[in-house]
Each structure stands twice: as C-alpha cells, then as structure tokens.
Amino acid sequence: MAAIEIQGLEKTYSVGFWRKKPKLALRPLNLKVEDGEILEYYGRLSGVDSKTVSRKASEMLERVGLKDSANVQLRKFSKGMLQRVGIAQAILHGPRVVFFDEPMSGLDPMGRREVRDLMVELKREGKTVFFSTHILSDAEALCDRVAIVHKGELQGVGAVAELTSSVGSRVELIWRGTIVPAALQGLGAECHVTGDTARALIPESSQDAALDALRRERLHLVSVMPVRTSLEDYFVQKLRPAQTMAGSRA
C-alpha cells in the first residue's frame, strides 16, 4: 500500500512495481516457477490471502505466457522470461496503480506485443499504469499522458496530441532527379537523395516557396504529403536548442 497526496488530499492505494534489473528484484533465484512458487512468495509479501495466492499465481503465469515453464529455475530464464515473471508479480495482488521500469526491454517482437496488450488490458480494468521507456513510439501508442525527461530534467508533460501539436506541421516533397535547389536550405528543409529520387521535409508554412524553387529548376514533382508529427519529433525539437548551446560553449 502507498499513500499518495494530490492537491492536499491524501489517498491510499495498492501499488505494484517492477524494476528494470530482474535478477536483483527476483531473489531468491533458486526458487522455481513450478506451481507459481516464486509468485506465491511475492504474493504473500504483498498481502495476498494464503487461501487464494496459489490460484492467483497460476492465473498470472498463464496471463504472461509462462504456464508451461514448470521445473525451471529462474537463474536459467532469459531476460525476456524474467521480465514476464516480474510483471506477473507486480500485478498479482490486484494493485490499482502499477509502475513498470522499461517493461518491454529485452523482449522479442512477439513478447513486446504481448506486454503492450497486457498494459492495455490493465488500463481497461481501471488501473493506472506508469512506465518508463526509451522507445517513444511505445509511449505514443499506449499513453494518455507522457512526461519527457532528459538528463534528470522535465522537458515537457501533457497529452500526446497536446505535445505533438506544439511542433510545427511539416510536409514532404518528393521529386525525380538528384538536384537539390539551394533555396530549400534557406527554408529549413531536411533534404535527402536516394538513387534517382530526392525528398525534402519542410515546414508547412514554406511549402509554396519550396514548390516555386522546384519549378525554377524544372524538376519533376512526384508528391506532396503532410507528415504526421510524432513524439520523437517533439523530443528532438525540445533537445535541439540545448544541444546547440552546449556545442557553442564547447
């Protein structure tokens, strides 16, 4: 249980937690997963009733895809398997608030999908899930609200749509040829040439000027497409001024 104070009001919630380093969190490692032994151990520590802890442990193992891992010691588990056990112990006692430290780290694509689906299920059950990640696409896909932290400092917090909308809209121009008009650089374009095709990402406000530059060079335009702004775009934009300043000091 944990006491949380919000705007002067204190409430007590059952909390689940899983940390990134499983070998430190899942002591003792000589326990087997057979019959949910390790989960029963943590279930009792979390206050689960002794009459139901065995059943709940079995249910959790099935929920995270480890039901068939009988007679296997945790020390022989892969990192991904340890992640699953850790997630199971974090939610075994039915907490209302759950904290996961990089829950998809070390998992293969199928494992990542299963963990994402599990987090969505927890949300649908009315639980509040906090998780840390370096994979911004995961945060964008799963979170209602995100907080961007860099070097211990909060760079931004809010709904995903709110943060990404603060980044200027961009469009992508694609044309045939390897010529990149010099005028595009002055419009803040990011230009790339691949084979016999060139493309540029430009601020939406510069679209007309960029098209004029392509016409002057008599370049064959292939497409003009709006670019969806991602959480990664927001992150890069927030850091770019700081990196520029750091570079100037160096």
Side-chain angles (χ1 to χ4, degrees):
M1 303 292 285
I4 301 174
E5 184 174 317
I6 301 176
Q7 296 181 345
L9 299 176
E10 185 176 293
K11 289 192 175 183
T12 301
Y13 293 100
S14 176
V15 174
F17 175 71
W18 167 239
R19 61 178 299 177
K20 183 179 178 180
K21 295 183 178 180
K23 288 189 177 180
L24 296 178
L26 290 173
R27 301 291 186 182
L29 289 179
N30 63 326
L31 289 176
K32 296 179 181 179
V33 178
E34 181 181 10
D35 297 326
E37 182 180 353
I38 185 66
L39 294 186
E40 290 182 27
Y41 172 78
Y42 277 102
R44 288 191 293 270
L45 289 180
S46 300
V48 178
D49 187 275
S50 59
K51 296 179 180 179
T52 61
V53 67
S54 179
R55 174 179 57 80
K56 288 188 175 183
S58 180
E59 291 173 353
M60 285 300 106
L61 285 176
E62 183 171 8
R63 190 170 188 180
V64 298
L66 290 176
K67 186 178 181 180
D68 297 329
S69 298
N71 299 311
V72 179
Q73 290 185 339
L74 290 177
R75 67 176 72 252
K76 298 179 181 179
F77 269 27
S78 67
K79 182 179 179 181
M81 294 172 76
L82 287 173
Q83 290 282 89
R84 294 167 188 255
V85 176
I87 290 171
Q89 67 83 22
I91 62 176
L92 174 66
H93 56 296
R96 291 185 58 187
V97 181
V98 184
F99 293 86
F100 291 142
D101 180 17
E102 298 194 31
M104 286 165 276
S105 173
L107 298 181
D108 60 25
M110 185 59 70
R112 287 171 51 79
R113 170 70 65 86
E114 290 171 353
V115 171
R116 283 199 300 268
D117 290 346
L118 175 59
M119 293 171 72
V120 171
E121 287 179 19
L122 293 174
K123 176 183 174 182
R124 288 173 180 164
E125 292 170 4
K127 303 182 189 302
T128 300
V129 180
F130 293 88
F131 74 99
S132 63
T133 181
H134 288 91
I135 306 171
L136 296 181
S137 58
D138 285 341
E140 191 168 357
L142 292 170
C143 295
D144 296 317
R145 291 176 60 82
V146 298
I148 302 293
V149 179
H150 180 64
K151 294 184 177 180
E153 294 186 1
L154 186 64
Q155 300 293 331
V157 60
V160 173
E162 177 186 342
L163 296 181
T164 55
S165 65
S166 68
V167 180
S169 300
R170 298 188 299 172
V171 295
E172 180 185 57
L173 308 181
I174 300 178
W175 64 94
R176 292 196 181 125
T178 58
I179 297 174
V180 177
L184 293 183
Q185 302 297 332
L187 298 174
E190 298 176 18
C191 302
H192 305 277
V193 177
T194 305
D196 61 353
T197 303
R199 66 185 63 218
L201 287 175
I202 62 170
E204 186 178 36
S205 58
S206 300
Q207 176 179 320
D208 290 342
L211 291 174
D212 287 340
L214 295 180
R215 292 191 193 100
R216 286 195 297 270
E217 297 288 344
R218 299 183 181 277
L219 296 172
H220 181 77
L221 184 67
V222 175
S223 67
V224 179
M225 294 286 292
V227 177
R228 186 183 69 84
T229 302
S230 68
L231 202 55
E232 182 176 332
D233 295 324
Y234 173 84
F235 183 80
V236 170
Q237 186 189 70
K238 292 292 289 187
L239 293 187
R240 187 168 287 158
Q243 291 175 340
T244 301
M245 290 176 62
S248 64
R249 286 197 298 268

